[in-house]
Amino acid sequence: MTVFESKISINKPVADVFAFLKDFNNHQQLMPDSISEWVSTTNDASFAIKNMSRLSLKISNRIPNSSVIIVPASAVPFNIEMRWVVTSLGEDTTEAILTVSAELNMMMKVMASGPLKKLTDFQVTELKKILG
């Protein structure tokens, strides 16, 4: 299992950060420009990745004010899980950690490691921009 992780502190209560992350409709705001054709509900999303194919994801588990787990909703070339964990660092400060775990063979690891690490870094940075 290959793991990519990024974390950031946000000046918002943990309940506010969790409320944003638990709704897949909000995740479009966290995506890079290479994502298009976004369609979502509270629980799932599908989108196109530039120069690749469509991907469908779903939220498989929510633990209030703690975590949101996202998994593929359809067949994918490799198993992947995205896990947002939010922890209160005080009344108005939250640490948000995005962990992407992927089962990558050596060839996929070479091709996908850079983009997956960039994605985790991009999403936590965007989350901070949006929520402050």
Side-chain angles (χ1 to χ4, degrees):
M1 188 70 69
T2 305
V3 177
F4 308 92
E5 185 174 281
S6 296
K7 64 181 169 179
I8 203 155
S9 292
I10 300 169
N11 295 323
K12 289 279 187 198
V14 71
D16 292 357
V17 179
F18 179 79
F20 181 88
L21 291 171
K22 75 176 185 176
D23 185 346
F24 233 144
N25 291 309
N26 294 328
H27 286 243
Q28 182 178 12
Q29 300 172 63
L30 303 176
M31 292 295 173
D33 292 339
S34 59
I35 301 298
S36 63
E37 301 175 38
W38 180 274
V39 178
S40 62
T41 68
T42 302
N43 296 313
D44 54 49
S46 66
F47 50 89
I49 304 169
K50 192 180 288 183
N51 299 324
M52 293 177 72
S53 61
R54 290 195 63 80
L55 183 61
S56 295
L57 299 173
K58 66 181 178 182
I59 294 177
S60 66
N61 194 13
R62 292 178 182 89
I63 299 173
N65 300 327
S66 179
S67 67
V68 175
I69 299 172
I70 301 164
V71 297
S74 59
V76 291
F78 52 86
N79 287 331
I80 189 166
E81 176 188 271
M82 298 174 72
R83 180 183 302 254
W84 282 98
V85 175
V86 292
T87 307
S88 178
L89 299 178
E91 191 174 309
D92 290 327
T93 307
T94 299
E95 179 179 71
I97 302 171
L98 174 58
T99 305
V100 175
S101 303
E103 288 182 17
L104 303 173
N105 63 33
M106 287 307 288
M107 188 174 119
M108 289 299 291
K109 194 171 188 174
V110 170
M111 291 174 35
S113 288
L116 287 172
K117 178 58 180 157
K118 283 181 187 176
L119 178 66
T120 60
D121 292 344
F122 184 86
Q123 287 199 330
V124 296
T125 301
E126 289 301 302
L127 184 66
K128 183 170 179 119
K129 284 182 192 174
I130 293 163
L131 297 180

